[in-house]
C-alpha cells in the first residue's frame, strides 16, 4: 500500500556558482556569462527574462559607446620647437618693491646719491643702512648730501629683507681707496711762474670754489679785467697742501713786464729809506701823538711800534721787516 503521507525528497544542494550574488556580479561585469549562468538556476522564468534583458542592454551599451578620451592632464605633451630666448634688459626702475632679492646678488649702487641708492635697493628687494666711509664717523642726517662709495651685505638683517650697508662720503668729497681710509684730498700744484690763465686751467679741476687774483705789489692795483697774461708770483695754499672742496685759491700777480718781488707785501716803488730828506715828514708824522693816516703796508716807518691807519681805514703798526728795516704792517 502506498503511503500518501510520505515527505517529499529534500531539494538538491545549491552550487556556489548558483548563488545570486555571483550571478548578479557576472551580469554586471561579464553580461554573456551572467545570462548563461542565470538560465541554469532555479529562478522563475520571469526573473530569468528580466535579468537577460537588463544584462543584454547593459552589454550593448558597453559595446556601442565610445572609449573614454584621454584627459588633458594625462595626455603626453607634444614636443614643439621653441625659439631661442632673447635677453631683455631690466627696466631702470620697478614700480613696486620686490618681495625677494635677485638670486644673482644685489646690483651695484656705487656712485649714486644715497637717496636714489636707498630707493633703488628697496625696489630690488633690499633694505639699506649707511655709514661714513672715511676715517671719521659723521652721521648722515640728510641723505641727499651723501653718495655711495662702497656697498656690502650687512652682517645683521634689518627687517624681513636682506640689508645692504652703504659706505658713503659727502657729495663734494672724493672716495677713499678703501672703506675707512682718510679722504684723499687733492694736493695743491705749484702754479708760480705760470700765467693767470694757465694757473686757472690747472686749478679748476681740483674743485676750488674760487680763484682770486691779487697784486704781488702792495702799491700796484690790478686792472678790472685783462689779467690772463699776468704772471703768478705767489700762491695760497702753497704747493703740496691739501685742497678741500669749496676752498679759495689766492694768486698774487704781476704784469708781464715786471719781475716778481722776492717776498710778499713789497712795494714796487717804495718810499725813500729813513734818513733821506724826503722821508722825514712821514716819520715825524708817525711819531706824533695821534699817529698818521693814509700809510701803505710795506712802507718804511719810524719809530717801531708807532700806529697809523691806511688810506682805506685799516689799522697799521710799525714792525721790523725781514730785511731788518721798519715797515708798516697790519696792526690789530
Amino acid at each position: 500500500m502506498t503511503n500518501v503521507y510520505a515527505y517529499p525528497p529534500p531539494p538538491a544542494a545549491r552550487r556556489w556558482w548558483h548563488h545570486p550574488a555571483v550571478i548578479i556580479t557576472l551580469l554586471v561585469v561579464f553580461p554573456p556569462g551572467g545570462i548563461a549562468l542565470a538560465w541554469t538556476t532555479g529562478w522563475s522564468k520571469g526573473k530569468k527574462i528580466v535579468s537577460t534583458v537588463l544584462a543584454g542592454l547593459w552589454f550593448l551599451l558597453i559595446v556601442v559607446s565610445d572609449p573614454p578620451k584621454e584627459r588633458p592632464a594625462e595626455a603626453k605633451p607634444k614636443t614643439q620647437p621653441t625659439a631661442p630666448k632673447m635677453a631683455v634688459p631690466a627696466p631702470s626702475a620697478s614700480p613696486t618693491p620686490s618681495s625677494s632679492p635677485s638670486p644673482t646678488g644685489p646690483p651695484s649702487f656705487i656712485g649714486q646719491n644715497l637717496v636714489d641708492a636707498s630707493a633703488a635697493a628697496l625696489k630690488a628687494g633690499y633694505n639699506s643702512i649707511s655709514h661714513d666711509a672715511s676715517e671719521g664717523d659723521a652721521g648722515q642726517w640728510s641723505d641727499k648730501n651723501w653718495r655711495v662709495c662702497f656697498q656690502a651685505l650687512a652682517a645683521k638683517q634689518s627687517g624681513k629683507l636682506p640689508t645692504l650697508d652703504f659706505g658713503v662720503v659727502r657729495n663734494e668729497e672724493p672716495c677713499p681707496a678703501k672703506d675707512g681710509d682718510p679722504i684723499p684730498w687733492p694736493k695743491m700744484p705749484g702754479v708760480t711762474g705760470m700765467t693767470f690763465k694757465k694757473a686757472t686751467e690747472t686749478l679748476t679741476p681740483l674743485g676750488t670754489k674760487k680763484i682770486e687774483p691779487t697784486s704781488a705789489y702792495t702799491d700796484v692795483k690790478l686792472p678790472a679785467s685783462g689779467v690772463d697774461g699776468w704772471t703768478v708770483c705767489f700762491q695760497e695754499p702753497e704747493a703740496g697742501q691739501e685742497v678741500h672742496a669749496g676752498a679759495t685759491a689766492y694768486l698774487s700777480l704781476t704784469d708781464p713786464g715786471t719781475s716778481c718781488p722776492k717776498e710778499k707785501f713789497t712795494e714796487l716803488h717804495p718810499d725813500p729809506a729813513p734818513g733821506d730828506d724826503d722821508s722825514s715828514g712821514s716819520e715825524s708824522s708817525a711819531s706824533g701823538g695821534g699817529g698818521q693816516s693814509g700809510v701803505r703796508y710795506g712802507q718804511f716807518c719810524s719809530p717801531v711800534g708807532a700806529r697809523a691807519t691806511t688810506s682805506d681805514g685799516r689799522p697799521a703798526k710799525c714792525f721790523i721787516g725781514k730785511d731788518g728795516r721798519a715797515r708798516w704792517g697790519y696792526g690789530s
Side-chain angles (χ1 to χ4, degrees), residues 34-46:
I35 293 172
L37 191 58
W39 283 94
T40 64
T41 65
W43 288 1
S44 65
K45 188 175 181 180

Side-chain angles (χ1 to χ4, degrees), residues 138-322:
Q140 291 78 62
W141 304 115
S142 179
D143 288 357
K144 66 180 181 180
N145 295 331
W146 298 77
R147 62 186 178 90
V148 178
C149 289
F150 308 98
Q151 70 177 58
L153 284 172
K156 185 177 181 181
Q157 183 170 301
S158 174
K160 296 182 179 180
L161 296 177
T163 303
L164 289 177
D165 187 3
F166 292 137
V168 297
V169 297
R170 293 178 178 84
N171 292 331
E172 66 273 11
E173 296 174 346
C175 289
K178 62 181 181 179
D179 202 345
D181 277 4
I183 297 295
W185 292 109
K187 302 295 184 180
M188 182 72 173
V191 295
T192 56
M194 296 183 182
T195 62
F196 179 70
K197 180 179 181 181
K198 180 63 177 178
T200 301
E201 294 173 351
T202 302
L203 298 179
T204 298
L206 301 180
T208 51
K209 181 180 180 181
K210 187 177 180 181
I211 300 174
E212 185 72 29
T214 62
S215 175
Y217 289 99
T218 58
D219 59 344
V220 176
K221 292 185 178 181
L222 291 180
S225 61
V227 296
D228 285 350
W230 285 43
T231 303
V232 179
C233 296
F234 307 106
Q235 66 179 70
E236 182 64 35
E238 299 289 343
Q241 293 182 349
E242 290 184 345
V243 180
H244 289 203
T248 298
Y250 296 92
L251 303 181
S252 299
L253 312 177
T254 185
D255 66 83
T258 305
S259 60
C260 288
K262 294 181 179 181
E263 58 183 20
K264 297 178 181 179
F265 308 113
T266 301
E267 289 183 329
L268 179 62
H269 305 289
D271 290 342
D276 293 345
D277 294 340
D278 56 355
S279 63
S280 58
S282 171
E283 294 179 2
S284 60
S285 176
S287 60
Q292 75 178 96
S293 61
V295 301
R296 295 190 299 270
Y297 292 146
Q299 183 180 11
F300 294 111
C301 62
S302 177
V304 173
R307 293 184 176 274
T309 56
T310 63
S311 57
D312 56 0
R314 290 179 294 171
K317 185 177 180 180
C318 189
F319 295 95
I320 296 296
K322 293 181 179 180

